[in-house]
Amino acid sequence: MSYAIQWVRSLVFNTYMYFMLLPWGIVFAIPAVFSRRAAIYCCRSYCWHITWAASWMIGLKCEVRGTPPQDEVLIAAKHQSFLDVLMIYGDIPAGRFIMKDILKYAPIVGQFGLRVGCIPVKRGKRGVAIKKMVADVAAGRLFPGQLIIYPQGTRIAPGVKAPYKVGTGVLYKELQQDCVPVACNVGVFWPKRGVLRKPGTAVVEFLPRIPVGTELPEFMKQLEEVVETRSNELMAEAGFTGGDV
């Protein structure tokens, strides 16, 4: 298939993806006010629909490997594009993200994000937010479920290296929960910027848990090693050789 045709298909898909936020938001607006469970179902069903639509609209299939956690854990995930957000959230029962503060003002996305328990963090004030989360943990004010954090703090393109921030380790220690690392190759097909979406098989993989009680330096080392190693393997499996995506 030519580049031009795939680009047009991608544009149509992207438009469809954002347009479909409207009917989802309207249908679930009132139920979500009264029920966090309804808000969670709204978000998960939207994720399911968009990943299904990607398979026939742009030829991008989505595959989840490993065992998505069903209990309360910290999920520390590789973040390459919006697609890994959809795939992770759609396969866990009660996820909540640490998200950029500006997203809480986004129509529909912001309101539902706050309703399901996402935690907004202002740029440059991640440390303050983590201290507040630690305090909320101690006070029992956090929503139950799976807290999803991106240890590198933002989307990282395939082949780009970025440090893992210690805030993930602080949360792991304070939450006193197992950590489930997540690797992915989605950036090979769905880059962090631009219109084009490539056909293929995007993979998100839930890796073996890092049990609660691991010392912080060892936890950070182990987390980075397993996520980066497996993500590199998944990207190589998808044909990525280190060039432009």
Side-chain angles (χ1 to χ4, degrees), residues 1-16 57-58 195-197:
M1 183 179 298
S2 72
Y3 175 92
I5 293 175
Q6 187 64 25
W7 191 93
V8 171
R9 292 178 71 189
S10 299
L11 179 62
V12 172
F13 169 76
N14 295 341
T15 302
Y16 177 81
M57 292 184 75
I58 53 175
V195 172
L196 183 66
R197 308 288 181 250

Side-chain angles (χ1 to χ4, degrees), residues 63-68 185 201 203-207 230 234 237:
E63 179 182 342
V64 175
R65 299 178 185 174
T67 304
N185 68 4
T201 302
V203 178
V204 159
E205 183 169 346
F206 292 88
L207 305 173
R230 187 57 184 151
L234 292 174
E237 178 183 309

Side-chain angles (χ1 to χ4, degrees), residues 153-165:
T154 188
R155 292 170 296 175
I156 305 296
V160 175
K161 294 184 178 181
Y164 277 53
K165 300 181 179 181

Side-chain angles (χ1 to χ4, degrees), residues 78 80 156-162 188 228 232 235 240-243 245:
K78 185 73 173 177
Q80 294 182 332
I156 305 296
V160 175
K161 294 184 178 181
V188 174
E228 291 300 304
N232 288 338
M235 288 187 286
F240 179 70
T241 59
V245 177

Side-chain angles (χ1 to χ4, degrees), residues 59-75:
L60 179 57
K61 297 180 180 179
C62 297
E63 179 182 342
V64 175
R65 299 178 185 174
T67 304
Q70 304 299 302
D71 54 334
E72 291 194 43
V73 297
L74 177 66
I75 294 176

Side-chain angles (χ1 to χ4, degrees), residues 2 6 37 48 70 83 93 117 176 189-190 198 206 209 220 223 236:
S2 72
Q6 187 64 25
R37 180 176 297 180
W48 301 333
Q70 304 299 302
L83 181 57
Q176 287 295 296
F189 307 98
W190 184 317
K198 299 177 182 178
F206 292 88
R209 297 176 179 226
M220 293 301 301
L223 175 65

Side-chain angles (χ1 to χ4, degrees), residues 80-217:
Q80 294 182 332
S81 75
F82 184 51
L83 181 57
D84 54 68
V85 174
L86 297 174
M87 292 176 68
I88 292 171
Y89 195 87
D91 270 84
I92 56 178
R96 47 197 171 90
F97 290 91
I98 296 177
M99 67 182 189
K100 292 180 181 179
D101 184 74
I102 194 172
L103 288 177
K104 70 183 182 183
Y105 302 109
I108 302 175
V109 172
Q111 288 71 45
F112 276 88
L114 293 174
R115 188 68 185 95
V116 303
C118 292
I119 302 165
V121 176
K122 292 184 178 180
R123 185 178 296 275
K125 295 186 178 180
R126 195 178 185 87
V128 174
I130 288 175
K131 288 181 181 179
K132 182 180 184 304
M133 278 185 281
V134 169
D136 287 347
V137 169
R141 289 193 293 264
L142 286 183
F143 283 111
Q146 300 77 40
L147 179 61
I148 306 156
I149 189 170
Y150 296 116
Q152 292 170 299
T154 188
R155 292 170 296 175
I156 305 296
V160 175
K161 294 184 178 181
Y164 277 53
K165 300 181 179 181
V166 73
T168 302
V170 174
L171 278 178
Y172 163 76
K173 180 179 179 181
E174 294 298 329
L175 285 171
Q176 287 295 296
Q177 295 174 354
D178 292 349
C179 175
V180 177
V182 178
C184 72
N185 68 4
V186 302
V188 174
F189 307 98
W190 184 317
K192 59 185 292 185
R193 294 185 180 90
V195 172
L196 183 66
R197 308 288 181 250
K198 299 177 182 178
T201 302
V203 178
V204 159
E205 183 169 346
F206 292 88
L207 305 173
R209 297 176 179 226
I210 301 176
V212 63
T214 304
E215 292 297 321
L216 184 56

